[in-house]
Amino acid sequence: MQARFAATVLNARHQAYRGAYLDLLKSQWQDWSRLTEAVRSGHPVDRDEQETPDYRRQFSWAMHHRSLEVAARVARQLDLGRARSILDLGGGPGTYALAFMERHPRLSATLCDRAAALEVAKDIAANHPARKRLMYLPLDFMSEPIPGRFDVVWYSNVLHIYSPEENLALFHRVLNALAPGGTLIIQDAFLHGREDLHSEEASLFAVSMLLFTERGNTYPFRETAAWLRKAGYVKVRPIVLKRGTGDWEGGIVAASRPIRPRERSARRRP
Ligand SMILES: C[S@@+](CC[C@H](N)C(=O)[O-])C[C@H]1O[C@@H](n2cnc3c(N)ncnc32)[C@H](O)[C@@H]1O
């Protein structure tokens, strides 16, 4: 068993190789020992380390190795309706965008992230059958306008990096990047339950956000749903996947851009 693990997951020449994610976890081992420091200062432990292209590339490979299997499982279960275009906002290595396109042969994806992350995504997509349907959008989406109109915007594992105010402002801007009736789908480590303490994994992840981000956190599902309504979305609803198959348990919420009366009559016209 151990030998098989070493020959596959730890073997850089094997397709099951997950070394980049293991490297990330290993580097975080030291950081966790500085938790007291982060609590006392109120700042992440790697505050002085800059966002370098090298760091971003390594992190993107780690994200790819982390989500390769789960992305396919999520894509199999998410109903994208008749969507033809999806914006993967903060999509990093593009693992999810590729999984969605593999599942939906008429879907085109736009992958938005920092330039260094997109370099990794291009390497990963190079031999993928859906590569011609993938577009790249190098952008800081928090400070720059988001161009285009999409049927679906997929915001996965990014919510927890930002504060409630930043996420709310982004939800407002994403509304303009959605086609009438289009859907924003958010995947994250949501807190659930009456006390907003479940799951343990999501609570613990909040501590790692304290270690690694300036303003991030894990958020209650119902709070996130309330931000979405406040930003003008309708039909805010959880998307339930088969137990044990998602990235996080209870980790998906969808919300629609309303169709304005003028748009409704335009859609009716032949
Ligand atoms: C934790 S990773 C998630 C990657 C992928 N969406 C997933 O679910 O595996 C967060 C990604 O968001 C990107 N990101 C965060 N803030 C960003 C910003 N302001 N502009 C562009 N990309 C951003 C990061 O570069 C990173 O690739």
Side-chain angles (χ1 to χ4, degrees), residues 51 56 59-60 62-64 66-67 70-71 88-96 111-115 117 137-144 154-162 170 173 187 205 247-248:
E51 156 84 38
R56 188 48 54 196
F59 188 83
S60 300
M63 289 301 100
H64 180 58
R66 176 184 176 274
S67 56
V70 76
D88 190 353
L89 197 57
T95 321
Y96 275 95
L111 186 61
C112 173
D113 209 293
R114 297 168 171 126
L137 183 58
L139 200 69
D140 179 335
F141 58 72
M142 279 297 179
S143 59
E144 295 175 74
W154 171 246
Y155 189 55
S156 165
N157 291 314
V158 188
L159 185 89
H160 59 244
I161 300 174
Y162 292 106
L170 183 74
R173 296 198 299 116
Q187 171 170 265
F205 196 65
D247 197 340
W248 306 93

Side-chain angles (χ1 to χ4, degrees), residues 60-179:
S60 300
W61 276 112
M63 289 301 100
H64 180 58
H65 286 178
R66 176 184 176 274
S67 56
L68 201 45
E69 281 89 14
V70 76
R73 290 200 303 261
V74 170
R76 269 199 298 276
Q77 294 176 75
L78 266 195
D79 178 7
L80 297 184
R82 276 181 277 171
R84 290 294 175 84
S85 58
I86 186 167
L87 171 66
D88 190 353
L89 197 57
T95 321
Y96 275 95
L98 290 174
F100 287 132
M101 288 193 295
E102 200 161 335
R103 177 81 182 150
H104 301 276
R106 300 171 84 175
L107 185 72
S108 298
T110 300
L111 186 61
C112 173
D113 209 293
R114 297 168 171 126
L118 297 185
E119 280 175 32
V120 171
K122 283 177 191 166
D123 272 359
I124 292 169
N127 296 313
H128 195 281
R131 64 189 178 281
K132 294 209 171 103
R133 288 183 278 138
L134 184 60
M135 281 145 285
Y136 300 92
L137 183 58
L139 200 69
D140 179 335
F141 58 72
M142 279 297 179
S143 59
E144 295 175 74
I146 303 168
R149 274 285 162 100
F150 303 91
D151 297 325
V152 175
V153 173
W154 171 246
Y155 189 55
S156 165
N157 291 314
V158 188
L159 185 89
H160 59 244
I161 300 174
Y162 292 106
S163 68
E165 295 73 23
E166 287 168 315
N167 279 307
L168 179 61
L170 183 74
F171 293 171
H172 274 289
R173 296 198 299 116
V174 165
L175 207 55
N176 295 323
L178 277 171

Side-chain angles (χ1 to χ4, degrees), residues 158-261:
V158 188
L159 185 89
H160 59 244
I161 300 174
Y162 292 106
S163 68
E165 295 73 23
E166 287 168 315
N167 279 307
L168 179 61
L170 183 74
F171 293 171
H172 274 289
R173 296 198 299 116
V174 165
L175 207 55
N176 295 323
L178 277 171
T183 311
L184 166 61
I185 311 178
I186 304 171
Q187 171 170 265
D188 218 284
F190 292 114
L191 295 165
H192 293 270
R194 235 186 321 164
E195 313 288 337
D196 290 330
L197 285 174
H198 301 290
S199 64
E200 282 165 19
E201 194 189 17
S203 289
L204 197 59
F205 196 65
V207 184
S208 67
M209 288 304 99
L210 185 73
L211 276 171
F212 301 117
T213 70
E214 277 294 345
R215 292 175 289 279
N217 204 346
T218 52
Y219 297 109
F221 185 91
R222 58 190 172 81
E223 225 171 82
T224 310
W227 302 335
L228 287 164
R229 288 191 197 95
K230 191 169 174 188
Y233 293 81
V234 293
K235 295 190 209 156
V236 179
R237 69 256 181 211
I239 297 206
V240 181
L241 304 185
K242 220 166 113 208
R243 197 163 176 74
T245 64
D247 197 340
W248 306 93
E249 218 53 64
I252 304 186
V253 59
S256 303
R257 197 204 114 163
I259 305 173
R260 297 173 190 126

